[in-house]
Amino acid sequence: MKKTLLSAALGAAVLGFGATASLAGTLDDVKAKGFVQCGVNGSNLAGFGAQDSSGNWTGLDVDLCKAVAAAVFGDATKVKYTPLSAKDRFPALQSGEIDMLARNTTWTASRDSQLGFDFRAVNYYDGQGFMVRKEIGVKSALELSGAAVCVQTGTTTELNLADYFKANKLEYKPVVFEKQEEVDAAYSAGRCDVYTTDQSGLYSIRLSLANPDDHIVLPEIISKEPLGPAVRQGDSKWFDVVSFAHYAMVTAEEFGVTQANLEEMKKTENPDIKRFLGEEAESTIGADLGLPKDWAVQIIKAVGNYGESFERNVGTGSPLKIERGLNALWSKGGLQYAPPIR
Ligand SMILES: N[C@@H](CCC(=O)N[C@@H](CS)C(=O)NCC(=O)O)C(=O)O
């Protein structure tokens, strides 16, 4: 049982690593082929990775794919998207089918080590939560003893669920599916009392249900889910580009640089901001990263600063209306913090 849960938490099959050895140098590969192959959510997770009716990809994770393409090519459209399920995402990265994974994926020690990936930037600090039908009258997860709980395999969710119920000495019946669509259908059909996944996912899934107002997300957060992009380990140049694409968005917010004031800010006398925007003649930050001098400007032009991307995709400007919470800047009581770009 324990073993099953562990492999589920790791996300299924671990491939041989021979395949990845020849793949060092993703930045050069990406430049040569002319686009970034980005692994994103395969279940239209609104706010994070979803396709609109015209086929355009949007979301906080999608913005990271676009930011990387903007940094490398000065063109955020140079991305090809690979929609991935929980189970398929890790083999897709290991095998080289994708260059980066930006898909509500939790950074854990076992994924970082055993699966052979590198994580550093966290583009959404999350935690696992529970959703129930309002009519069952439950206000706290601690009232869920004996409940049937719908959960998706290949996620961190399954092991957290087992740990939480065990630690609180509560009984539960896991109703387990491989595909999110199956979990959604089972929950909608009343085959389980509770839906558990990342709280961000619950907000998004709730909106896709027939009557969103009939469901509530309970207050408890039972785990830490730092969600961020992953790349294959041992490829530091590419790892730096992907990580600093996120950090450039955060830095822009720290400096108050927005899509609207970007051109104005380029004329600033502030040396730190000037350097960041590639306006200081001697600075080699872009070149050192293997990128053009105006890489950060291109990112801001394409997707805005982190706060703009957050509000547009999951915050006030979106149907999800998620508060900044842990994802506020460190200077505003949150955890989003960028190392100095200098
Ligand atoms: N953050 C957790 C959960 C991520 C996850 O896969 N969540 C589900 C439910 S929101 C999902 O996105 N499913 C979409 C799919 O598999 O297509 C993890 O990394 O394991």
Side-chain angles (χ1 to χ4, degrees):
M1 182 66 176
K2 212 169 165 195
K3 195 155 183 261
T4 317
L5 285 175
L6 177 65
S7 51
L10 284 171
V14 179
L15 295 185
F17 283 91
T20 63
S22 61
L23 289 165
T26 306
L27 178 57
D28 290 338
D29 291 349
V30 162
K31 283 181 180 168
K33 69 185 172 183
F35 61 89
V36 179
Q37 191 80 45
C38 202
V40 292
N41 197 286
S43 292
N44 257 352
L45 194 66
F48 292 87
Q51 248 179 322
D52 66 18
S53 47
S54 345
N56 298 315
W57 283 95
T58 60
L60 195 71
D61 288 334
V62 168
D63 274 0
L64 200 49
C65 308
K66 290 181 181 172
V68 172
V72 177
F73 301 110
D75 183 348
T77 66
K78 299 252 157 84
V79 184
K80 290 192 181 170
Y81 297 94
T82 304
L84 293 164
S85 70
K87 178 169 161 273
D88 297 337
R89 61 186 154 166
F90 300 131
L93 184 58
Q94 287 167 329
S95 67
E97 184 190 336
I98 56 172
D99 301 311
M100 61 182 279
L101 180 68
R103 182 212 169 277
N104 54 310
T105 291
T106 308
W107 175 11
T108 68
S110 38
R111 288 172 176 176
D112 205 317
S113 54
Q114 189 182 340
L115 292 188
F117 300 147
D118 275 331
F119 293 84
R120 182 162 61 201
V122 175
N123 70 334
Y124 190 97
Y125 288 93
D126 205 354
Q128 185 173 331
F130 299 99
M131 175 166 68
V132 295
R133 267 174 286 279
K134 276 185 188 157
E135 63 183 18
I136 73 169
V138 166
K139 295 271 179 299
S140 155
L142 294 168
E143 298 167 44
L144 291 176
S145 193
V149 185
C150 272
V151 60
Q152 188 181 357
T153 52
T155 62
T156 46
T157 318
E158 221 183 340
L159 184 60
N160 292 328
L161 175 67
D163 288 353
Y164 180 78
F165 276 77
K166 190 169 178 206
N168 288 290
K169 300 195 171 52
L170 300 170
E171 298 289 319
Y172 75 108
K173 181 172 162 287
V175 185
V176 181
F177 299 95
E178 196 182 290
K179 300 202 172 97
Q180 191 196 307
E181 291 72 12
E182 295 168 328
V183 191
D184 294 358
Y187 176 75
S188 297
R191 284 183 61 193
C192 46
D193 311 299
V194 187
Y195 194 137
T196 187
T197 184
D198 299 342
Q199 205 173 57
S200 60
L202 291 176
Y203 285 123
S204 179
I205 292 160
R206 195 175 80 100
L207 288 181
S208 70
L209 298 174
N211 295 303
D213 288 342
D214 292 352
H215 307 269
I216 54 162
V217 175
L218 299 178
E220 283 89 355
I221 289 284
I222 65 161
S223 68
K224 292 187 289 185
E225 307 293 326
L227 310 179
V231 298
R232 287 175 291 278
Q233 76 184 13
D235 191 349
S236 346
K237 269 181 126 179
W238 180 238
F239 186 37
D240 287 346
V241 167
V242 171
S243 306
F244 276 94
H246 168 71
Y247 291 134
M249 292 170 69
V250 174
T251 301
E253 186 177 9
E254 290 173 347
F255 284 148
V257 182
T258 64
Q259 272 176 324
N261 71 15
L262 180 59
E263 289 310 315
E264 210 44 46
M265 289 299 254
K266 278 163 77 175
K267 298 180 206 140
T268 179
E269 288 305 316
N270 178 319
D272 222 11
I273 302 180
K274 250 178 119 162
R275 201 177 299 117
F276 171 57
L277 297 178
E279 292 292 318
E280 205 192 49
E282 316 79 67
S283 170
T284 58
I285 301 168
D288 296 340
L289 284 168
L291 298 173
K293 201 170 175 71
D294 67 345
W295 66 284
V297 166
Q298 295 300 334
I299 291 176
I300 302 160
K301 252 190 207 161
V303 297
N305 70 36
Y306 178 76
E308 291 180 286
S309 173
F310 187 98
E311 298 300 358
R312 182 175 63 242
N313 290 302
V314 301
T316 45
S318 80
L320 295 174
K321 307 263 178 282
I322 300 177
E323 305 208 333
R324 285 295 291 271
L326 291 178
N327 293 294
L329 289 183
W330 59 284
S331 51
K332 301 221 167 108
L335 296 175
Q336 287 296 345
Y337 178 106
I341 296 187
R342 59 190 309 157

